[in-house]
Amino acid sequence: MSVLTWIILSSVLGALLSIGLAALLTLNARSNTWISILVSYAIGALLGAAFLNALPEALELSAEPRQLTLIMLCGILVFFILEKLLIWRHCHLGECEVHEPAAEITTSVVVNHDHGRSGMMIVLGDTFHNFVDGILIAAAFMADIQLGIITAIAITAHEIPQEAGDFIILLNSGFSRARALWFNLLSGVATVLGGVLAYFMLNQLDHLIAPILALAAASMTYVAMADLIPSLHKRPEIGATIQQVILIVLGIGTVWLVGAYFGHNH
């Protein structure tokens, strides 16, 4: 097979495998209470992916760490503005939380639907990350076929806990199971696009990898801190808090373990 064929097949199979396994782990959640519990795990997975995966990779690839941290800071501000625009749009349609009766707000403690805002934000950030994964796969295959195969397997392993977290966030954000799966599949297409584009323009794209990773880290951090963590404060009891902390640590630990055993070089 040609190098381009290897890149396309590895990108497609890796995306389908990671999304498929993540879907099996999360889309069978049978109750809103179960989804609400898993949100804590998703927070840990997001923060782990941002600070143990995306940001370190970006810093390794860049000679100017201050510039990357500035990009991440600006990214958080941009995602804040985007969310404000989404809130403004929903308020114009009469669907804003401000317009909801107090009784409805009280009954939404179990699952904190936000009319899809955090879901769309995480899809955007995951698309950035998948695009970079495609570039990394292409770069490895262009160096050596065996290295490319190992890199593709490693990236797929990295993606499973992150994709599982994405599914949980989409469900928590009010998406149906079918819609959550569809959006994750669309986001996975970015891996193939990144790989094919990198094959033809690797030298021109090389300097964009670090900034894109920084933006992906900004998206994951913003969604975890601004959209998901506040929903946990709706359950302030000691038992619930201990459960949330344990699940957040488990989410971070999952990303760390996958990185430790399946870390990829680039």
Side-chain angles (χ1 to χ4, degrees), residues 56-263:
E57 287 182 15
L59 291 171
E60 286 177 12
L61 293 169
S62 175
E64 299 181 23
R66 185 182 294 272
Q67 185 182 59
L68 283 185
T69 54
L70 178 61
I71 290 172
M72 186 174 175
L73 182 61
C74 291
I76 290 173
L77 180 60
V78 167
F79 286 119
F80 169 75
I81 294 170
L82 285 174
E83 187 170 28
K84 280 290 188 181
L85 291 174
L86 288 169
I87 293 172
W88 176 83
R89 174 177 172 273
H90 283 296
C91 283
H92 256 277
L93 295 173
E95 299 173 356
C96 180
E97 288 92 332
V98 175
H99 299 152
E100 293 177 0
E104 288 186 24
I105 296 174
T106 303
T107 57
S108 69
V109 171
V110 175
V111 176
N112 187 38
H113 293 321
D114 57 8
H115 303 297
R117 292 197 309 274
S118 60
M120 293 307 299
M121 303 272 284
I122 203 59
V123 167
L124 182 61
D126 194 35
T127 301
F128 281 140
H129 206 165
N130 289 340
F131 183 78
V132 173
D133 284 343
I135 295 174
L136 296 176
I137 289 171
F141 271 111
M142 292 173 74
D144 179 72
I145 296 297
Q146 185 177 358
L147 175 62
I149 294 171
I150 294 171
T151 301
I153 292 172
I155 286 177
T156 300
H158 271 293
E159 284 296 306
I160 292 170
Q162 183 182 322
E163 294 290 350
D166 291 349
F167 273 116
I168 295 164
I169 292 161
L170 290 171
L171 293 175
N172 184 66
S173 191
F175 284 62
S176 67
R177 285 168 171 77
R179 195 169 176 226
L181 181 59
W182 176 243
F183 271 91
N184 267 280
L185 287 171
L186 283 179
S187 177
V189 173
T191 306
V192 183
L193 292 177
V196 172
L197 200 58
Y199 176 78
F200 292 107
M201 302 176 60
L202 187 60
N203 292 333
Q204 289 84 353
L205 285 174
D206 192 54
H207 66 284
L208 293 178
I209 296 177
I212 291 174
L213 280 171
L215 285 175
S219 168
M220 291 183 283
T221 303
Y222 181 83
V223 170
M225 302 297 291
D227 289 328
L228 298 184
I229 284 182
S231 72
L232 299 188
H233 296 321
K234 294 177 180 290
R235 298 176 61 210
E237 310 86 31
I238 294 297
T241 301
I242 292 173
Q243 179 189 67
Q244 290 163 0
V245 171
I246 291 173
L247 287 168
I248 290 172
V249 172
L250 282 175
I252 295 172
T254 301
V255 174
W256 180 81
L257 283 173
V258 171
Y261 287 97
F262 298 98

